[in-house]
Amino acid sequence: DISYKMGTPWIPVTVYEQFAENVMGLSGVEVRYMPEIDEFVVNDGYIADYAKSNEYSTNERKAMLLFKDAINLRKPVIYEKDAYGNRFKNEAATQDAVAKIVDINDAFKQYVEGRDDLHRQLQNIYNERYNNYRLREYSAPNFAKDEKGDIHYPNSNSSITLREHQVKAVQRSLSASTLLAHQVGTGK
C-alpha cells in the first residue's frame, strides 16, 4: 500500500497546488521542490474561498502558513509576548495549529484517494521510481510425472519425492549461482 502524505518529494508539485486550491481555498499557490535543501518553497497565492480557508486556519495561524508547515513537515509553534515583552510559547494555540496540520494531512490523503485518475497516476510514479526489483520465480520443470503425479528429474532416485520448494531450489541452482537458506527441517 502506498501512503500519501503532504511533503512527499516524489509527488508532483502540481498535485499540491491543486489540493491547495480545491480543498483549502487557496488560489495562485506556486510550489517548487528544492532537492538540494530537501524543502518545498511555496509562493503565496490568495484566498479564493474563505469558507474552505477558514476550515484549515486557527486564530493565530492562517491556512497559507499551515499549508507551508504541512508540506515541509514542520510542527508549528505559536509564541506570544507578555506585558513585559517576554516571549513565551502558547501551548493551546500550538496544539490547535498541530491539530490543523493533522487535518490537512488527512484531507490530502482523502483528496488523492478520492480521485481514481490521480490515485492511478501517483501509483504509476511510485512503482516506476521505487518498485523496480522483483525476485525471479522458479517453477517446476515440464518433466513427465509418475503415477502419483510427482515430478522426478532424469536419472534421479524415483523413490525420493521432492517437495515444491525443493523443486524450485533445484531449478534456481541450475540457472544461477545459489545459496540455499531454507529453514531448519525443510529438507535441503
Side-chain angles (χ1 to χ4, degrees):
D1 250 356
I2 301 172
S3 177
Y4 302 108
K5 289 179 60 177
M6 289 283 292
T8 304
W10 60 265
I11 295 177
V13 294
T14 55
V15 174
Y16 295 121
E17 293 169 349
Q18 292 166 359
F19 169 76
E21 183 165 357
N22 296 334
V23 177
M24 296 185 68
L26 304 172
S27 291
V29 174
E30 293 181 14
V31 178
R32 288 179 298 145
Y33 177 66
M34 307 281 292
E36 301 82 12
I37 58 174
D38 191 29
E39 189 168 314
F40 288 89
V41 177
V42 181
N43 294 335
D44 292 348
Y46 57 91
I47 298 174
D49 187 334
Y50 281 93
K52 290 179 181 178
S53 176
N54 287 338
E55 186 178 339
Y56 296 103
S57 296
T58 66
N59 292 334
E60 290 77 16
R61 202 153 181 96
K62 300 302 174 199
M64 181 57 71
L65 290 175
L66 289 171
F67 176 76
K68 289 178 181 181
D69 290 336
I71 200 168
N72 283 306
L73 308 175
R74 289 193 197 116
K75 179 182 173 185
V77 179
I78 310 298
Y79 292 99
E80 291 184 7
K81 290 187 179 181
D82 62 14
Y84 303 106
N86 297 323
R87 197 173 126 173
F88 66 95
K89 179 180 174 182
N90 183 332
E91 291 290 340
T94 297
Q95 288 176 359
D96 288 345
V98 169
K100 288 295 179 181
I101 294 285
V102 171
D103 292 345
I104 291 170
N105 282 320
D106 291 344
F108 181 75
K109 183 177 179 180
Q110 290 173 356
Y111 175 76
V112 172
E113 291 177 350
R115 286 158 182 73
D116 290 336
D117 57 329
L118 178 59
H119 186 64
R120 260 186 259 105
Q121 175 194 359
L122 293 180
Q123 279 183 331
N124 290 339
I125 291 170
Y126 180 86
N127 287 332
E128 286 175 15
R129 186 172 281 190
Y130 298 109
N131 284 345
N132 57 7
Y133 181 74
R134 183 172 176 255
L135 291 176
R136 184 172 175 196
E137 293 182 15
Y138 298 91
S139 59
N142 292 327
F143 296 144
K145 297 181 180 181
D146 64 11
E147 59 278 351
K148 294 181 187 176
D150 295 327
I151 297 173
H152 295 282
Y153 284 86
N155 300 323
S156 66
N157 187 344
S158 61
S159 65
I160 298 175
T161 302
L162 298 178
R163 297 181 188 139
E164 183 180 347
H165 72 279
Q166 293 170 320
V167 171
K168 289 179 180 179
V170 170
Q171 289 301 111
R172 181 177 178 181
S173 64
L174 291 174
S175 65
S177 184
T178 305
L179 168 66
L180 299 178
H182 296 117
Q183 293 179 330
V184 174
T186 59
K188 290 182 214 171

